[in-house]
């Protein structure tokens, strides 16, 4: 999956496009949402496999996207539990 606009944010593109982990196990692709929060920009990255999210808030859109991509590449990425994804996964298991 190639993107001219997101070319320098490989980790974000990979997060949204990869369907397998490095060991070959299947993976549900994640996604990210960009929105404004007052005068700031919020980037929220979702990982459906772990029911986790990463939230980044910065003054500029470029800074928010850049920080989200850097954090995704980090071993210490500050993922937090995502209540919405957890509820959706539980509901899916019931059906």
């Amino acid at each position: 999956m190639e993107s001219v606009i997101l070319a320098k944010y490989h980790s974000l593109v990979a997060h949204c496009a990869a369907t397998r982990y490095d060991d070959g196990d299947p993976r549900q692709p994640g996604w990210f949402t960009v929105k404004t929060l007052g005068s700031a920009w919020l980037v929220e990255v979702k990982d459906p496999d772990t029911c986790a999210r990463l939230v980044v808030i910065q003054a500029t859109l470029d800074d928010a996207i850049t920080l989200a991509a850097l954090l995704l590449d980090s071993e210490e990425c500050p993922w937090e539990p995502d209540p919405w994804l957890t509820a959706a996964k539980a509901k899916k298991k019931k059906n």
Side-chain angles (χ1 to χ4, degrees):
M1 195 174 214
E2 302 215 4
S3 168
V4 173
I5 294 171
L6 297 174
K8 63 183 180 178
Y9 305 111
H10 176 73
S11 57
L12 277 174
V13 174
H15 180 74
C16 296
T19 58
R20 297 233 176 257
Y21 288 103
D22 290 339
D23 65 2
D25 286 344
R27 176 186 179 276
Q28 289 183 15
W31 64 89
F32 66 95
T33 305
V34 177
K35 54 188 168 184
T36 56
L37 185 64
S39 63
W41 288 89
L42 182 143
V43 174
E44 184 176 34
V45 182
K46 300 272 192 158
D47 184 5
D49 280 344
T50 61
C51 294
R53 69 184 186 158
L54 167 66
V55 178
V56 174
I57 301 170
Q58 294 291 305
T60 69
L61 177 58
D62 290 349
D63 288 348
I65 292 173
T66 299
L67 182 56
L70 286 171
L71 289 172
L72 281 174
D73 280 337
S74 168
E75 293 281 329
E76 301 297 321
C77 187
W79 290 103
E80 60 186 51
D82 186 306
W84 182 84
L85 284 173
T86 302
K89 193 172 197 175
K91 185 178 180 181
K92 193 175 188 180
K93 279 187 177 183
K94 280 184 176 180
N95 294 335

